[in-house]
Amino acid sequence: MIPLFFLVTLCLGVVSAIPMPNPSLDAEWHEWKTRHGKTYSMHEEGQKRAVWEDNRKVIELHNEDYAKGVHDFSMEMNAFGDLTNTEFRELMTGFQSMGSEEMDVFQEPLLGDVPKFVDWRNHGYVTPVKNQGQCGACWAFSAVGSLEGQMFRKTGRLVPLSEQNLVDCSWSYGNSGCDGGLMEYAFQYVKDNRGLDARATYAYEARNGPCRYDPKNSAANVTGFVRIPVSEAALMNAVATVGPVSVGIDSHHYSFRFYSGGMYYEPRCSSSDLDHAVLVVGYGEESDGKKYWLVKNSWGTGWGMNGYIKMARDRNNNCGIVTHAVYPTV
């Protein structure tokens, strides 16, 4: 098992010498700041501009190779363009690995072949894409996503659930709010608490706050949770037969942060150093035979394909997508 530790650092890079900005990019820089509501102090402006220009160059070089067929996915500038990689991991990830706590292990049903294509969005299991903001609560969004799906499976009603309830109230289970957490700890909290509030009555705030759970507003419950073996076949079987599944991944590469579309494969990805939690809502295969996982992120609809990404499937557990997969039982 991976030892218990947080994969969110508090170490910010220090820029000792800020290069002069490229004047040909002035209009693009100001348009980007306006579009994303960015304002800086006089001291910050130069530093943020330099980071933005560096990130822009990474994207430009990648897309040049994409146009030549070197890559199967494209990148684009987005709201994260002024963040260093260290700052980005601190603010926008938050997956925490765990020890050897006991839990049920997924048993693949003897149902023969599973469907070649699955997309639970088409069957009412998946709420609209949400945005965690600058709060490392990806674990709460992933947990809520799989729980929303299981509650729909049980009741036939899709009710958006409260990530903020988990951020504020599950600290004693091992989670740390905006500083990271784990889906299993969230499920255990809901099980012991005998409920989780709806998002409509416990709104997301993207910051830590006091616990305000109200049992009158509970919209979900949990009876336990199931860990899926480290196998792409097992995850495929679980997604096909159970519904959306919470997973941890390695997301710290520029290619993931600025992903815009296509089949994501990152050869430098780790299958064990996981830092972000997302939700697998389906899988499929392109016309050229390349297989993918359909993944819902929690960085808003302005990221990726309206908040989603197609991650390479059956390519040696790329980015660790099957290393840590779990879903709740209700």
Side-chain angles (χ1 to χ4, degrees), residues 127-133 141 144 148 159-165 196-206 217 219 298:
T127 57
V129 170
K130 303 171 185 177
N131 194 336
Q132 69 188 73
F141 284 79
V144 156
E148 288 169 342
V159 179
L161 300 174
S162 175
E163 298 85 8
Q164 193 67 41
N165 187 168
L196 182 71
D197 281 352
R199 203 176 212 253
T201 55
Y202 201 149
Y204 185 64
E205 299 171 347
N217 299 321
S298 53

Side-chain angles (χ1 to χ4, degrees), residues 27-38 52 76-81 302:
E28 187 177 338
W29 165 246
H30 291 299
E31 190 275 333
W32 177 84
K33 286 195 300 179
T34 299
R35 182 166 71 251
H36 297 290
K38 303 283 186 173
W52 178 84
E76 66 181 356
M77 179 58 71
N78 55 31
F80 308 132

